[in-house]
Amino acid sequence: MRLLFVIALTLISVGVLAAQDLTITGRVLDKNTNSPLPGVSVFVPELNRGVVTDLEGNFKITSLPTKNITFQISFIGYATQVQTVRPNNAGKAVVIQLEESMTNIDEVVISGAYIMSKESSPISIEKVDITDILKMPSPSLMTALTRTPGVNEISLGPGISKPVIRGLSFSRVLSVYQGGRFENQQWGADHGLGLAETGIGNVELIKGPASLIYGSGAMAGVVNLIEEKDAAKGDVDGYVNLRGYSNNLGLRSEVGVKGAAENGFVWSLNGALESHADYIDGDGRTMGNTRFNTQNLKGGVGLQKKWGDTRLRYTYMKQKLGILDEDAIDELATYRGDRKTQVPFQNVTDHFISSETNVFLGEDKFKATFGLHKNLREELESGPESVDLGLNQTNIMYDLKYYKSLNPHLEAIFGVQGFVLNTINYDDALEFLIPDARKDDRSVYGLLNYNKDKWVIQGGLRYDYRKVNVDASAPHFIDFGFILPGEPEDRKLERTFDGVTTSGGATFRPDNKWRFRLNIAQGFRAPDLAELFSNGVHPGTRRFEKGNASFEREQNIQTDFGIRYSGKGFALSGEVFYNNINNYIFFAPTGEVQQDLDIWSFEQADARLYGGEIELDIQPTSVKWISGSTSYAMVIGQRTSDLSYLPYIPAFRWNQNVDFRMNSIGILQNPYISVLGSLVFDQERAAPLEEATPGYFLLGMNIGGNLKMGNNTVDVYVSGTNLLNRAYLDHLSLFRPFEVNQMGRNIALNVRIPF
């Protein structure tokens, strides 16, 4: 680690000497009228800063490096545009013409290692803006993201949900937060995403293997929370966000403030409190102990200079998450609006510190990311004073990248990446599911990106090595009777995993109508601690879980092919994928009982998953105030040997929405109405010992606009989910085997007050 810091400091000092001070000026116009557009956002994601056009539509961005810069131009009621400019060649002002549209097809994404247009990326990346989350919020951030085709959730009530991308979940989906790997023991079925929307600007979802960029755990894809953009130089601004839910009487309050000095110093501070009572299903039944409370505090400081920028961020998250007991649903319901924590529940605390530094070295760039994450997870079911399962996890991570410009159209990335993760059980815990463990991950990788005219071509190679040491020799393990596989005399085991992964893809855009994308990528995942070594009761789940220390690492190869056609007033796109997985590990009931608990064990077999998504966006040119979209997503998962179905595979889903944009009325500006429908089909492709799930239809709506109050504009959104109050079972809900329905009708009011 010391060597890594020396390299980083050396490159920063070189960067200071090589600093440039280039400028881009431009003007944004309406394409139809050629009139200037004031108030347009011109944002440079690579620098996390931007400007707003003046009354004449003009903008100016200074202190730019000597390299291609991609920036995004966005404005309400207009299609977002992505532009790439080389500052040292920009002798004259850039003229940008925006076209009226309620739908956005293209945006800048950063999760594919290279900052580029979403439509140009050979990797399938979807982007969910924070405004979309505010318009249609959910008690869990992950639930709000499931409106994305191909994305679902495994849930244990509204407070605990984890991502599923194209049928893959658990440790196969990697979370990235503040630029760093976020490890919160996602191996547990009842361990949620653990992240909130506080202070973020958008969420990017990689659909497909991203192991080449992010390492083990990104076999299925990535959920990347992107920080909100910095304040403009010399400004201090902020917001207050207030929200309420009708179904579980949920309340959320959030405050954020940020500033940027003229000398380049930037800072931000955000805080949020959230409290929810038990939810009510479509039959009017209260689901006892599905209540939860969270606290979130985050802050950051940074420096923006001609040589680059550096950031230091800290996040604190505290969650108390009730766990429904299927044998005591009504007894745990207490009274309407009760938010008091009661057993069984999870008590989860996260401390996350990260730093990101970018240094521009002429045509090149060096990026260093370091992180420290401490996750304390307690599960209590015997009483509030005793911890049944207690785990203290500490993760130290690093990621060093060097971006080398080989010519104006070809760039390479060389990097080293890794983490050291320690998981220690509480000495005084009543039960032990996994042993104490230490993971040491190390990797080297290289990627190439060619971008010229109609083509983008990417490819790369990566080598990973992981060593896992586990130790069950402490007295509390011996007294409890915890046994490691093979019963080694010293009560210790060591496993190593290594391998090479590759990826290659291309995007071809022959004109502004067609886009073709093909990507073939390998992913891998070393088995997690639970899959290898679990041997005990998992509190709160009523299961006895058994792992297998002889498991090999999972290895997959996935082929994705996508087409988009953009015509006059509409855009039609389709994506298909085929995912072949060797040594796929899955969790299933055995039908046996131990200690009056159902025995669940991990199994390993070759598998395949295949399916796709199709989406149609409509924007009639003659009726610009109305637009709509419809999408269909499907995935099938099977064992290769006998073609039996895999567990926890989502049902086919058909989403629809129609948006109406109206003229401003008095102080009400930019009003809109959106009607949404989601048809979930019968899931009859159940795994052995898994029940089929009937389909259902959910109706939703959101209404909103901006209220002009003096010099301020207040955003007000009212939304409703499951408006028909259907009583239904989600196939991926961990409550489904107990016939526990999902949440009934829920109305949310969200008010955002900027200052």
Side-chain angles (χ1 to χ4, degrees):
M1 289 295 291
R2 184 179 299 175
L3 176 61
L4 298 179
F5 278 108
V6 170
I7 294 173
L9 290 173
T10 301
L11 287 171
I12 289 175
S13 63
V14 172
V16 172
L17 296 175
Q20 299 289 329
D21 187 11
L22 301 174
T23 298
I24 290 178
T25 59
R27 196 178 191 202
V28 182
L29 306 174
D30 182 294
K31 186 175 181 178
N32 293 324
T33 65
N34 214 35
S35 57
L37 291 175
V40 176
S41 171
V42 183
F43 179 58
V44 183
E46 192 168 4
L47 306 177
N48 199 39
R49 61 184 172 90
V51 295
V52 175
T53 57
D54 61 19
L55 293 176
E56 298 301 320
N58 298 314
F59 68 89
K60 181 178 182 181
I61 304 176
T62 60
S63 302
L64 297 173
T66 313
K67 65 192 299 290
N68 288 342
I69 291 295
T70 300
F71 56 97
Q72 178 175 295
I73 306 96
S74 55
F75 193 47
I76 295 176
Y78 288 81
T80 296
Q81 212 177 110
V82 177
Q83 196 105 351
T84 300
V85 174
R86 196 172 185 84
N88 59 343
N89 294 331
K92 60 180 182 178
V94 179
V95 177
I96 299 161
Q97 293 181 319
L98 295 185
E99 191 169 6
E100 284 189 90
S101 176
M102 287 181 66
T103 58
N104 282 323
I105 294 174
D106 204 7
E107 291 181 284
V108 171
V109 290
I110 69 174
S111 296
Y114 299 95
I115 294 175
M116 65 172 55
S117 154
K118 178 169 74 77
E119 283 296 286
S120 296
S121 172
I123 301 172
S124 180
I125 305 176
E126 296 293 341
K127 187 172 181 178
V128 181
D129 192 78
I130 185 63
T131 303
D132 297 323
I133 296 173
L134 296 178
K135 287 180 177 179
M136 202 75 176
S138 296
S140 165
L141 172 62
M142 191 59 239
T143 304
L145 300 178
T146 59
R147 289 187 288 273
T148 305
V151 178
N152 300 85
E153 63 176 336
I154 289 176
S155 66
L156 192 74
I160 304 173
S161 66
K162 61 197 308 109
V164 180
I165 298 179
R166 289 179 169 173
L168 295 178
S169 54
F170 294 91
S171 300
R172 301 177 186 89
V173 179
L174 180 65
S175 300
V176 177
Y177 183 65
Q178 295 182 346
R181 183 187 186 102
F182 190 85
E183 290 281 349
N184 69 335
Q185 307 182 49
Q186 57 265 48
W187 49 264
D190 59 330
H191 302 170
L193 178 67
L195 292 168
E197 68 200 58
T198 311
I200 68 169
N202 58 77
V203 181
E204 293 183 1
L205 302 152
I206 296 180
K207 296 192 295 186
S211 296
L212 190 70
I213 305 168
Y214 296 99
S216 180
M219 179 178 176
V222 173
V223 178
N224 189 359
L225 275 67
I226 312 297
E227 293 296 294
E228 63 181 352
K229 62 184 179 183
D230 295 330
K233 280 189 177 182
D235 287 351
V236 174
D237 56 60
Y239 65 90
V240 174
N241 193 55
L242 304 173
R243 184 184 304 160
Y245 298 93
S246 66
N247 186 289
N248 62 355
L249 303 181
L251 299 171
R252 175 181 170 84
S253 58
E254 180 182 340
V255 179
V257 62
K258 59 184 178 181
E262 294 290 349
N263 63 2
F265 178 73
V266 294
W267 58 273
S268 64
L269 184 64
N270 303 82
L273 294 173
E274 195 161 359
S275 175
H276 297 261
D278 299 335
Y279 79 83
I280 300 173
D281 75 353
D283 288 333
R285 186 184 182 190
T286 301
M287 297 302 170
N289 207 30
T290 54
R291 63 195 65 177
F292 64 97
N293 300 281
T294 67
Q295 304 168 24
N296 194 193
L297 179 67
K298 60 188 293 186
V301 294
L303 196 62
Q304 294 179 341
K305 291 295 184 179
K306 298 174 183 178
W307 52 264
D309 61 80
T310 186
R311 314 292 170 117
L312 180 65
R313 301 183 176 104
Y314 167 74
T315 293
Y316 166 81
M317 172 79 83
K318 181 74 168 181
Q319 303 175 82
K320 289 191 175 182
L321 308 162
I323 299 175
L324 179 147
D325 184 339
E326 66 273 12
D327 294 330
I329 294 176
D330 297 322
E331 291 88 338
L332 292 173
T334 62
Y335 62 88
R336 177 79 166 146
D338 184 11
R339 304 161 192 274
K340 185 178 179 181
T341 303
Q342 57 183 349
V343 293
F345 73 95
Q346 294 182 25
N347 184 23
V348 185
T349 306
D350 287 286
H351 299 274
F352 192 85
I353 302 173
S354 67
S355 72
E356 283 187 279
T357 300
N358 294 283
V359 180
F360 296 107
L361 307 166
E363 301 281 336
D364 304 337
K365 185 180 79 169
F366 171 74
K367 182 173 184 177
T369 303
F370 299 96
L372 171 63
H373 182 197
K374 179 170 283 293
N375 174 264
L376 303 172
R377 181 174 292 277
E378 300 172 354
E379 299 188 8
L380 303 90
E381 64 175 8
S382 303
E385 305 302 325
S386 57
V387 176
D388 288 79
L389 181 68
L391 295 167
N392 183 343
Q393 179 179 274
T394 303
N395 189 27
I396 300 173
M397 72 206 78
Y398 58 89
D399 186 3
L400 303 180
K401 293 187 180 81
Y402 190 86
Y403 297 75
K404 176 63 181 175
S405 177
L406 302 177
N407 63 51
H409 307 290
L410 183 62
E411 187 177 31
I413 297 179
F414 304 100
V416 294
Q417 189 180 74
F419 64 89
V420 178
L421 187 147
N422 286 288
T423 304
I424 306 297
N425 285 266
Y426 286 20
D427 292 353
D428 57 352
L430 300 180
E431 297 171 344
F432 301 95
L433 177 63
I434 58 174
D436 294 345
R438 176 185 174 91
K439 291 182 185 178
D440 187 352
D441 262 43
R442 305 173 189 182
S443 63
V444 295
Y445 57 93
L447 299 89
L448 284 173
N449 183 70
Y450 174 81
N451 190 344
K452 184 180 181 182
D453 300 329
K454 303 172 183 179
W455 286 94
V456 173
I457 302 174
Q458 291 183 357
L461 186 70
R462 179 187 181 103
Y463 173 75
D464 284 88
Y465 173 82
R466 170 180 289 185
K467 182 167 70 173
V468 182
N469 295 96
V470 298
D471 187 348
S473 63
H476 49 271
F477 285 111
I478 297 173
D479 294 341
F480 182 72
F482 187 91
I483 300 173
L484 284 174
E487 300 186 33
E489 186 175 346
D490 61 355
R491 301 180 64 85
K492 297 179 182 179
L493 284 175
E494 178 179 301
R495 288 292 312 273
T496 59
F497 305 90
D498 71 330
V500 174
T501 51
T502 59
S503 178
T507 300
F508 177 53
R509 302 178 74 177
D511 51 41
N512 60 1
K513 292 184 177 181
W514 289 98
R515 184 266 290 155
F516 301 89
R517 175 164 58 206
L518 175 67
N519 191 61
I520 302 174
Q522 281 186 306
F524 79 95
R525 184 183 70 92
D528 59 42
L529 297 177
E531 294 165 340
L532 290 170
F533 308 111
S534 62
N535 187 25
V537 179
H538 194 164
T541 65
R542 301 183 65 83
R543 292 195 302 260
F544 191 98
E545 302 180 3
K546 291 185 176 182
N548 188 329
S550 64
F551 282 159
E552 297 299 322
R553 82 177 215 165
E554 292 182 340
Q555 183 85 42
N556 77 328
I557 181 166
Q558 179 170 312
T559 301
D560 293 86
F561 178 68
I563 302 176
R564 178 185 289 278
Y565 177 79
S566 300
K568 191 172 183 180
F570 76 96
L572 177 64
S573 64
E575 301 268 349
V576 293
F577 68 91
Y578 186 89
N579 191 356
N580 188 77
I581 307 176
N582 294 326
N583 305 316
Y584 180 78
I585 300 172
F586 56 95
F587 199 31
T590 63
E592 301 174 359
V593 176
Q594 182 169 329
Q595 301 177 16
D596 295 326
L597 299 170
D598 294 330
I599 297 178
W600 285 56
S601 68
F602 291 97
E603 301 177 36
Q604 189 166 56
D606 293 345
R608 65 178 188 179
L609 292 95
Y610 56 94
E613 303 94 35
I614 186 168
E615 187 169 4
L616 173 65
D617 295 295
I618 302 173
Q619 169 69 78
T621 55
S622 58
V623 191
K624 294 184 178 180
W625 53 270
I626 186 173
S627 64
S629 68
T630 182
S631 65
Y632 181 80
M634 60 167 287
V635 58
I636 296 174
Q638 297 173 299
R639 295 195 203 190
T640 305
S641 59
D642 60 5
L643 299 184
S644 62
Y645 294 109
L646 299 175
Y648 291 109
I649 300 297
F652 298 176
R653 187 177 64 186
W654 178 26
N655 288 341
Q656 319 89 30
N657 76 274
V658 181
D659 301 320
F660 303 92
R661 187 179 67 190
M662 296 167 285
N663 294 326
S664 299
I665 307 170
I667 63 170
L668 179 61
Q669 299 183 334
N670 305 311
Y672 72 91
I673 298 175
S674 295
V675 181
L676 305 92
S678 183
L679 177 61
V680 178
F681 293 85
D682 296 344
Q683 175 53 301
E684 298 175 335
R685 295 163 299 280
L689 299 179
E690 186 181 54
E691 297 292 332
T693 307
Y696 51 89
F697 176 77
L698 300 179
L699 177 66
M701 178 180 290
N702 67 76
I703 303 170
N706 316 119
L707 295 179
K708 187 72 174 177
M709 297 184 175
N711 295 325
N712 243 1
T713 301
V714 177
D715 304 325
V716 179
Y717 309 115
V718 179
S719 61
T721 56
N722 193 8
L723 291 177
L724 302 179
N725 206 29
R726 287 291 307 272
Y728 70 98
L729 297 172
D730 186 340
H731 189 74
L732 299 186
S733 170
L734 297 176
F735 291 158
R736 178 184 52 80
F738 312 113
E739 298 293 319
V740 174
N741 292 322
Q742 301 295 103
M743 184 180 289
R745 182 186 297 113
N746 190 23
I747 308 298
L749 171 64
N750 194 99
V751 179
R752 185 179 177 90
I753 308 168
F755 60 84

